Amino acid sequence: MAMAKLRKKLFSGTKDTGDESKEIEKRMKLEKERQKKTIRILLLGPGDSGKTTILKQMRKIHDGTIPSDTVDSFATYIRQNMVKYMKILCVKSIELQIPLDIDDNQDNQNEEDQIDLEQSREALATISIPTSLSPEILKHIKLLWANNGIQETLAQRKKFQIPDNVAYFFNERLDDIVCDGYVPTFEDYLRIRMRTTGLNQEEFITSFDGSGTSFVRNGQRHTKIKSLSNTQTNVSSTALS
């Protein structure tokens, strides 16, 4: 892309001074040198095999920041997923006929938070998705998450599909996530699961020699990758669980 812009300016028919032509030639030479040092890696694999996670890990190693244009959208997405995760647990606890132990929650209840567990489970099991994380829904989530029945449902996660990040977000991050000024940490960004399709590209400047590495993730099995014919390495990922 950068080379094309330079050529367009060089051969546009406009009269350039000698200094301008030399500057363009210099920039084209530098761009060629940069491209020579760039290693293009194509990540391939089925859904949920960790391709996006690899990209995030590379960003953590070489950059360490969340893309600025995605911070707000990630905050909203994470909040919505807290509701989605609890909905899944409630639905599956009913399907697996796992009872909710009310006695285990007596110490957690007070005059301000007297919510019937079965009503809370029914409310979350039938809630529409996506839904924002409101104070009312937060009450239901906290009460249910503290219950042994919901914990037992999560322990049987091999029987249904739910991300492995549930305990992290509910145990360590829930109170921060509900705050108005919540900004996702890099750990939140790394752990949240977001389904992606098509081609996604990340570019990093490696710390050891200043050269560039371009990771291209193919998230669609039948996507044509003619434009990626100049990749030096293909990496296939697969889920172990």
Side-chain angles (χ1 to χ4, degrees):
M1 181 65 72
M3 290 291 291
K5 289 182 178 179
L6 288 174
R7 289 193 185 97
K8 184 177 180 181
K9 183 175 180 180
L10 184 59
F11 301 109
S12 60
T14 58
K15 293 182 179 180
D16 290 330
T17 65
D19 290 341
E20 288 177 338
S21 296
K22 289 180 180 179
E23 178 62 24
I24 292 173
E25 290 176 0
K26 179 181 178 182
R27 289 170 60 185
M28 290 181 66
K29 183 178 180 180
L30 290 174
E31 179 62 23
K32 284 183 179 179
E33 291 298 321
R34 188 189 72 83
Q35 289 185 5
K36 287 181 180 179
K37 292 182 179 180
T38 298
I39 301 172
R40 291 173 62 81
I41 301 172
L42 177 62
L43 298 177
L44 297 169
D48 296 326
S49 62
K51 298 183 298 296
T52 300
T53 302
I54 292 174
L55 287 180
K56 290 179 177 179
Q57 291 283 12
M58 292 302 100
R59 175 172 284 277
K60 184 176 183 180
I61 292 171
H62 299 295
D63 189 316
T65 61
I66 303 174
S68 57
D69 58 341
T70 62
V71 172
D72 291 339
S73 61
F74 265 99
T76 300
Y77 183 77
I78 289 172
R79 289 191 178 108
Q80 292 175 347
N81 270 262
M82 297 304 95
V83 183
K84 178 182 177 181
Y85 294 163
M86 186 52 70
K87 175 184 174 71
I88 294 173
L89 290 172
C90 288
V91 170
K92 295 305 176 180
S93 69
I94 294 172
E95 291 180 358
L96 296 172
Q97 298 182 344
I98 299 176
L100 300 179
D101 192 342
I102 298 177
D103 292 336
D104 288 343
N105 287 274
Q106 287 182 348
D107 293 337
N108 296 330
Q109 295 178 349
N110 52 48
E111 296 179 0
E112 193 176 294
D113 190 14
Q114 292 294 325
I115 304 175
D116 180 78
L117 279 168
E118 290 296 340
Q119 289 181 350
S120 291
R121 179 163 68 171
E122 183 65 22
L124 268 295
T126 57
I127 199 170
S128 298
I129 298 296
T131 298
S132 59
L133 185 58
S134 66
E136 181 67 21
I137 294 176
L138 179 62
K139 282 185 178 182
H140 290 302
I141 289 177
K142 284 189 171 183
L143 188 64
L144 289 164
W145 180 246
N147 186 268
N148 281 348
I150 295 299
Q151 294 295 326
E152 175 59 27
T153 303
L154 182 61
Q156 297 186 34
R157 59 185 296 268
K158 290 184 178 180
K159 297 179 180 179
F160 56 95
Q161 189 172 13
I162 192 170
D164 58 3
N165 57 16
V166 173
Y168 165 77
F169 282 108
F170 281 147
N171 284 333
E172 302 180 32
R173 303 295 295 144
L174 188 58
D175 289 335
D176 290 327
I177 288 171
V178 298
C179 294
D180 292 337
Y182 166 64
V183 176
T185 64
F186 200 94
E187 192 68 17
D188 296 343
Y189 168 72
L190 184 62
R191 287 176 179 261
I192 194 65
R193 298 291 181 266
M194 181 179 287
R195 182 173 293 277
T196 51
T197 59
L199 295 175
N200 294 279
Q201 183 167 327
E202 293 274 355
E203 294 187 1
F204 308 101
I205 302 298
T206 56
S207 57
F208 44 87
D209 64 356
S211 61
T213 304
S214 178
F215 284 87
V216 182
R217 188 199 66 80
N218 181 17
Q220 206 164 16
R221 185 177 299 174
H222 301 295
T223 299
K224 293 182 179 180
I225 55 175
K226 183 178 179 181
S227 61
L228 303 177
S229 58
N230 61 336
T231 55
Q232 285 91 347
T233 303
N234 292 344
V235 176
S236 297
S237 64
T238 185
L240 296 179
S241 58

